[in-house]
């Protein structure tokens, strides 16, 4: 199996993160241009609050820098140790799919139980990816 295949889910996860970052930038620009947010707010993120949709999007972007870095790290470690296999690829793609679902739920209707279920599912898949990596390392 080509070890480099593990980078495609990582690239997809980056694209998802980049997409929400661009969306946030556009929405913030529009909010400032429309006078909904004082541009001085963004100096220290204090003062008047952002509109709820912008606050939700900002929190969502922040979330992309909490759990997904652990995904990118295990992807790199799988590659470096030559442990990329069908299981790791399936788990990696499943993680990305579940994170995309989480984004769709959070930035859509934001039904908290569904969002939480997708978050827990993606965390469980990530734990499985790490477990697979650890077991492979111990078997050497």
């Amino acid at each position: 199996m080509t070890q480099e295949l593990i980078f495609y889910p990582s690239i997809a996860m980056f694209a998802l993160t980049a997409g929400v970052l661009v969306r946030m930038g556009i929405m913030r620009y529009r909010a400032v241009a429309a006078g909904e947010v004082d541009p001085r707010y963004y100096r220290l993120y204090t003062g008047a609050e952002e509109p709820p949709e912008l606050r939700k999007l900002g929190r969502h972007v922040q979330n992309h820098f909490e759990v997904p870095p652990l995904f990118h790290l295990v992807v790199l470690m799988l590659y470096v140790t030559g442990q990329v296999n069908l299981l790791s690829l399936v788990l990696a793609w499943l993680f990305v799919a579940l994170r995309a679902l989480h984004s769709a739920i959070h930035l859509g209707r934001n039904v908290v139980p569904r969002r939480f279920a997708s978050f827990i599912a993606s965390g469980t898949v990530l734990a499985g990816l790490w477990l697979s990596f650890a077991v492979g390392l111990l078997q050497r």
Side-chain angles (χ1 to χ4, degrees), residues 44-59:
L44 297 174
Y45 295 89
T46 59
E49 292 187 4
E50 291 179 301
E53 281 301 307
L54 266 175
R55 195 168 349 128
K56 178 175 71 172
L57 184 55
R59 178 65 189 106

Side-chain angles (χ1 to χ4, degrees), residues 41-71:
Y41 169 79
Y42 293 109
R43 288 186 185 155
L44 297 174
Y45 295 89
T46 59
E49 292 187 4
E50 291 179 301
E53 281 301 307
L54 266 175
R55 195 168 349 128
K56 178 175 71 172
L57 184 55
R59 178 65 189 106
H60 186 74
V61 167
Q62 181 182 346
N63 184 264
H64 276 258
F65 292 93
E66 293 170 349
V67 175
L70 297 172
F71 168 71

